């Protein structure tokens, strides 16, 4: 595998591994790119990105839902269908393994994700979700959560499939107040979940190394976490085959996460076992 990579990348992976093996507090932020190799489209990649084909203003805002709840609900049901049979890839598995390893080596790794899929959890990670959960719903009026039938974290994949089939495309009404159900996802203009954001801010501000994986670094406040980490003295590593506007990066690993992450983990392991 190493032979297929450019010499520059091989050097950079080794550099990153040395830094990470010597760090006790690590913060990882993932974005849609980490799930791309599982077959889930990103948002902004040319041609395949969801926001290249659909207008976010029509589908991912409160105004859009108030104007046409059926359209928004149908689009998210379509996304659930798109994602329901997708499996974690080698980057998710490497991260999950690494999270377990850090406990053995008395390090601490906080995993923050902007993704609404549950592939980190399926791979065995514990992740803080900044942008909500695709498999959870809540009432658009009274905010009651309807997580149990659709929440794979507590119910597993088979129930998730049943829920999709039974929910179909029809709008569902809240049994408490009669309001329409919406996906429990943070839409544009909405505030991030308080607890999740506090966890993210604290992990970024207190880490020694911050790693940004598969995110375009365009959506705030998540995109500001790397800057926060940097202001507090952390080194910043970015894993992304494409350039991003992130200006605080110390080490760029310009390759797919599914290729870089297993290599990185192997090298960190090698260094820690010496
Ligand atoms: P984007 O679609 O904006 O960016 C995905 C990034 O992943 C791009 O920079 C790609 O170059 C990179 N990428 C693609 N394939 C990759 C691979 N195999 N390995 C590593 N990187 C790869 O997705 P996000 O940055 O996650 O919000 O977008 C942020 C938010 O904008 C999302 O959470 C979503 C969206 O609106 C909500 O759903 C609330």
């Amino acid at each position: 595998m190493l032979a297929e990579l450019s010499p520059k990348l091989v050097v950079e992976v080794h550099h990153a591994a040395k830094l990470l093996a010597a760090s006790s507090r690590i913060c990882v932020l993932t974005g849609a790119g980490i799930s791309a190799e599982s077959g889930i489209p990103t948002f902004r990649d040319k041609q395949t990105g969801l926001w290249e084909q659909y207008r976010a203003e029509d589908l991912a805002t409160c105004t859009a839902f108030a104007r046409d709840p059926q359209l928004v609900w149908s689009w998210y049901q379509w996304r659930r269908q798109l994602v329901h049979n997708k499996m974690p890839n080698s980057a998710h598995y490497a991260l999950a393994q690494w999270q377990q390893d850090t406990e053995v080596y008395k390090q601490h790794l906080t995993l923050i994700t902007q993704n609404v899929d549950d592939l980190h959890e399926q791979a065995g990670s514990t992740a803080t979700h900044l942008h909500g959960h695709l498999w959870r719903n809540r009432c658009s009026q009274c905010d009651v959560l309807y997580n149990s039938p659709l929440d794979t974290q507590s119910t597993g994949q088979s129930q998730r499939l049943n829920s999709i089939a039974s929910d179909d495309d029809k709008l569902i009404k809240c049994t408490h107040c009669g309001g329409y159900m919406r996906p429990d996802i943070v839409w544009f203009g909405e505030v991030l979940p308080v607890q999740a954001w506090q966890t993210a801010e604290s992990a970024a501000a207190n880490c020694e190394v911050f790693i940004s994986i598969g995110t375009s670094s365009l959506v705030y406040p998540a995109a500001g976490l790397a800057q926060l980490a940097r202001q507090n003295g952390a080194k910043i590593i970015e894993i992304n085959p494409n350039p991003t506007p992130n200006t605080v990066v110390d080490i760029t690993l310009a390759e797919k996460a599914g290729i870089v992450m297993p290599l990185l983990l192997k090298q960190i392991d090698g260094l820690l076992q010496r």
Side-chain angles (χ1 to χ4, degrees):
M1 177 65 82
L2 272 175
E4 293 164 25
L5 303 178
S6 73
K8 183 170 182 281
L9 185 64
V10 173
V11 171
E12 294 291 87
V13 169
H14 190 61
H15 186 182
K18 273 171 73 176
L19 189 61
L20 289 161
S23 305
S24 51
R25 293 180 311 281
I26 298 155
C27 179
V28 179
L29 173 71
T30 65
I34 197 166
S35 296
E37 288 160 84
S38 294
I40 300 178
T42 63
F43 292 93
R44 296 176 183 82
D45 276 285
K46 289 201 175 66
Q47 273 143 19
T48 55
L50 290 172
W51 297 151
E52 295 289 312
Q53 299 164 61
Y54 302 94
R55 279 162 41 95
E57 308 89 290
D58 293 341
L59 299 162
T61 64
C62 285
T63 315
F65 190 72
R67 187 171 53 227
D68 194 343
Q70 181 65 67
L71 174 77
V72 174
W73 180 254
S74 299
W75 191 72
Y76 279 96
Q77 287 296 82
W78 168 76
R79 272 186 64 195
R80 286 168 173 161
Q81 292 286 356
L82 199 71
V83 171
H84 82 269
N85 60 354
K86 301 297 186 282
M87 306 290 286
N89 62 54
S90 50
H92 295 104
Y93 285 118
L95 260 174
Q97 183 62 53
W98 190 18
Q99 210 172 25
Q100 283 175 27
D101 292 352
T102 51
E103 286 169 24
V104 176
Y105 293 114
K106 307 273 183 277
Q107 296 176 302
H108 186 74
L109 188 155
T110 307
L111 174 57
I112 314 288
T113 187
Q114 297 166 87
N115 297 345
V116 296
D117 66 50
D118 63 355
L119 297 190
H120 283 308
E121 285 81 4
Q122 281 193 50
S125 281
T126 305
T128 295
H129 286 256
L130 288 182
H131 291 168
H133 301 265
L134 184 61
W135 302 107
R136 218 156 65 182
N137 291 312
R138 68 181 157 90
C139 174
S140 57
Q141 278 181 25
C142 72
D143 273 345
V144 164
L145 277 175
Y146 283 80
N147 54 343
S148 48
L150 293 173
D151 187 353
T152 52
Q153 282 173 52
S154 56
T155 60
Q157 182 149 335
S158 56
Q159 278 220 303
R160 184 168 86 191
L161 299 181
N162 291 338
S163 305
I164 291 171
S166 60
D167 286 345
D168 204 358
D169 246 14
K170 285 194 210 82
L171 282 164
I172 307 169
K173 285 193 173 168
C174 172
T175 51
H176 295 268
C177 75
Y180 286 129
M181 205 86 86
R182 55 164 281 180
D184 188 28
I185 287 178
V186 180
W187 284 333
F188 288 99
E190 292 189 309
V191 176
L192 267 52
V194 175
Q195 183 69 54
W197 180 245
Q198 281 173 356
T199 301
E201 260 194 329
S202 163
N206 292 299
C207 69
E208 290 162 66
V209 185
F210 182 93
I211 315 181
S212 172
I213 308 176
T215 173
S216 58
S217 297
L218 287 169
V219 176
Y220 283 79
L225 289 170
Q227 287 148 33
L228 176 66
R230 184 58 181 272
Q231 280 158 17
N232 286 278
K235 293 283 184 197
I236 315 295
I237 299 172
E238 183 174 75
I239 300 175
N240 196 318
N242 301 305
T244 75
N246 190 343
T247 53
V248 293
V249 178
D250 296 290
I251 302 176
T252 301
L253 305 178
E255 204 13 298
K256 290 180 177 174
I259 293 175
V260 170
M261 282 309 299
L263 276 179
L264 188 61
L265 183 66
K266 205 170 157 203
Q267 297 210 9
I268 295 169
D269 262 355
L271 289 164
L272 286 170
Q273 278 167 18
R274 269 187 204 160

